Amino acid sequence: YTVTTALAEQSKFPRSVVGQIKIKPLIGLFHIILFILTLIVTTIIIIRPRVTSFEVTPEIIGAGDSVSLDWHVSPFVGSVFIEGIGSVDAKTGHIKDSPTESVKTYTLEAKNFLSQVAPSIFTAKSESLSVVILPKYPEIIDFGVNKAEILEGEEITLHWAVENAEKMELVTNGVRESIPLEEAVGQRLLTPRENTIYKFAALNPSGVSIKSFIVRVSAPLVDVLEFNVDPKEITAGDTVTITWNV
């Protein structure tokens, strides 16, 4: 720029001063690039899938029991996949499972719409959690009879109660009889004619349980109401009359 000034009257010639002004923008190229990078990083942090929590309880169960799986993921998660179960509703956050293996491991994987573009960045995995499944052995809670010693012709009541069995058998002096599962608790009226060994077997894939006992059967006692010999004294060769009542 040029500045021309008129001096006082005593100066015959005006004076000019030449100068230069440089103007720099407040936001330069570096700041714009930094802003764009910051915006990209912030966006990635916000929409990147995250597994906030993932729990499997209880950690030890019996065969046939169930476990609860609970999870919480970030808002931008579109799908949740649990290894050992499959795809589940991401927003549900809760599901039950009944594992059959001796040990089962669960791992949660969370994805969103950008997971196909950059799976390493937009895929989140939880730590693996394991559940131990203990076998449930069959258990004969009760097996017995109301009388272990009877007279021939008397009746007995045989009773039993069983848990965790997939097959049941009643063995009477070696003769097997299958008991339906719906009769896990039951009883029978029996009239054994001789000493009898009763055996009950409960089975499932984990093992077998057996209980047995014997019922002793005696011949009925004879009650002699009257027994008489007449006459009481005789001569050799004579006869006597014997009478009785039982």
Side-chain angles (χ1 to χ4, degrees):
Y1 63 90
T2 301
V3 178
T4 302
T5 60
L7 302 176
E9 293 181 357
Q10 64 270 23
S11 178
K12 297 180 179 180
F13 303 100
R15 292 184 179 181
S16 298
V17 178
V18 179
Q20 184 180 22
I21 297 177
K22 292 183 179 181
I23 300 175
K24 293 183 179 181
L26 294 177
I27 301 176
L29 180 61
F30 172 77
H31 295 89
I32 294 174
I33 294 174
L34 182 61
F35 173 76
I36 293 173
L37 290 176
T38 303
L39 183 62
I40 292 174
V41 172
T42 304
T43 303
I44 291 175
I45 292 174
I46 292 174
I47 68 175
R48 183 181 181 183
R50 296 189 309 277
V51 180
T52 307
S53 64
F54 180 52
E55 296 181 349
V56 180
T57 53
E59 297 179 354
I60 300 176
I61 62 171
D65 293 340
S66 62
V67 295
S68 293
L69 289 81
D70 297 274
W71 66 89
H72 187 268
V73 294
S74 56
F76 289 95
V77 170
S79 64
V80 170
F81 180 88
I82 300 178
E83 181 183 346
I85 295 180
S87 297
V88 296
D89 186 355
K91 296 179 176 60
T92 301
H94 176 80
I95 197 172
K96 285 187 175 291
D97 185 42
S98 298
T100 56
E101 306 91 327
S102 57
V103 177
K104 187 166 184 178
T105 302
Y106 300 93
T107 304
L108 186 144
E109 183 180 82
K111 295 182 178 182
N112 64 13
F113 61 96
L114 291 175
S115 299
Q116 298 294 333
V117 179
S120 60
I121 298 176
F122 295 101
T123 299
K125 277 191 175 183
S126 71
E127 62 176 325
S128 297
L129 302 177
S130 296
V131 175
V132 177
I133 298 89
L134 301 177
K136 280 189 176 181
Y137 295 99
E139 183 179 2
I140 301 176
I141 301 172
D142 174 53
F143 180 54
V145 70
N146 62 330
K147 291 185 290 185
E149 295 186 2
I150 62 171
L151 298 175
E152 184 179 350
E154 289 185 338
E155 192 175 64
I156 61 171
T157 301
L158 184 71
H159 51 84
W160 64 84
V162 181
E163 287 186 351
N164 305 323
E166 294 187 10
K167 183 180 179 181
M168 299 183 298
E169 285 186 345
L170 175 63
V171 183
T172 305
N173 277 351
V175 179
R176 297 178 179 274
E177 177 188 357
S178 180
I179 304 297
L181 293 180
E182 55 268 22
E183 295 182 20
V185 177
Q187 66 177 27
R188 289 199 179 164
L189 297 177
L190 302 172
T191 307
R193 301 296 181 184
E194 58 183 352
N195 292 343
T196 305
I197 298 175
Y198 295 98
K199 184 185 297 184
F200 201 99
L203 306 89
N204 70 14
S206 299
V208 59
S209 179
I210 298 175
K211 284 188 177 182
S212 63
F213 60 86
I214 184 170
V215 174
R216 301 186 181 278
V217 182
S218 303
L221 298 176
V222 177
D223 189 6
V224 180
L225 301 177
E226 179 185 3
F227 182 71
N228 189 36
V229 177
D230 188 57
K232 301 292 188 297
E233 295 181 3
I234 61 172
T235 302
D238 293 343
T239 59
V240 295
T241 300
I242 302 174
T243 58
W244 66 86
N245 183 17
V246 295

